[in-house]
Amino acid sequence: MNLVVDVQYALDDAAADGLGVPAPAQFEAWAAAALAGRRVAAELSIRVVDEAEGGELNQTYRQRPGPTNVLSFPFDSPAQLEIPLLGDVVICAPVVAREAREQDKPVLAHWAHMTVHGTLHLLGYDHETPAEADEMERLEARILGGLGYSDPYAAERAAVTV
């Protein structure tokens, strides 16, 4: 696969260290896993932000207050252009670290999940309906399993079947 991932860190080094922020090579590997078999060439940006920027983006583009874990901004290419640009994934580092603690998940596994989740959104996957959510969650679990991570939805599925 011909993959270009531009990783941008929009928070200071001290904050990033305390939040378990991954290196660019890890983001690239996770994005490649999400794209495997779905694209032969792709370009995307992954921007790691603090809560202030994450909250501003969430309010501006989703009209929701406060930061969220991951936002995806697909590139809407004109039909006559065939370029590999997919778009941008924005991940809020403090939110990811907090969720990992609250959900008792390894922080690196949660970073991988947010990267895969955001990348799949760039490909057009969504979770607006139960059927879409089920398809996307199962795909995420399969991709993450291939990377050696546990199913991030296993606890939710177990709670539903009880």
Side-chain angles (χ1 to χ4, degrees):
M1 164 182 275
N2 184 10
L3 176 62
V4 176
V5 179
D6 174 36
V7 179
Q8 305 168 1
Y9 297 97
L11 63 163
D12 64 56
D13 290 342
D17 289 343
L19 299 172
V21 176
Q26 289 172 298
F27 285 115
E28 186 172 332
W30 298 330
L35 296 166
R38 292 168 192 82
R39 282 291 184 117
V40 293
E43 294 178 20
L44 66 129
S45 293
I46 297 175
R47 184 170 173 85
V48 180
V49 301
D50 59 16
E51 287 182 301
E53 185 173 341
E56 183 178 321
L57 290 168
N58 201 26
Q59 181 65 51
T60 300
Y61 293 100
R62 295 178 67 222
Q63 292 72 51
R64 295 185 183 172
T68 189
N69 50 21
V70 62
L71 293 166
S72 296
F73 299 95
F75 175 66
D76 190 15
S77 176
Q80 66 272 26
L81 290 181
E82 290 189 32
I83 59 174
L85 185 60
L86 290 178
D88 303 321
V89 174
V90 178
I91 304 175
C92 186
V95 173
V96 171
R98 183 173 56 251
E99 287 177 348
R101 277 191 315 275
E102 290 170 354
Q103 298 169 19
D104 198 27
K105 294 178 181 177
V107 71
L108 205 56
H110 200 42
W111 277 103
H113 180 204
M114 294 301 97
T115 303
V116 167
H117 185 90
T119 303
L120 289 176
H121 274 307
L122 295 181
L123 293 174
Y125 289 90
D126 214 337
H127 44 82
E128 294 298 317
T129 68
E132 288 176 338
D134 186 60
E135 177 187 12
M136 189 170 179
E137 289 171 6
R138 291 184 188 283
L139 181 55
E140 289 173 55
R142 193 167 46 252
I143 292 166
L144 291 165
L147 291 165
Y149 297 110
S150 299
D151 178 352
Y153 301 103
E156 291 173 34
R157 287 193 187 105
V160 170
T161 59
V162 173

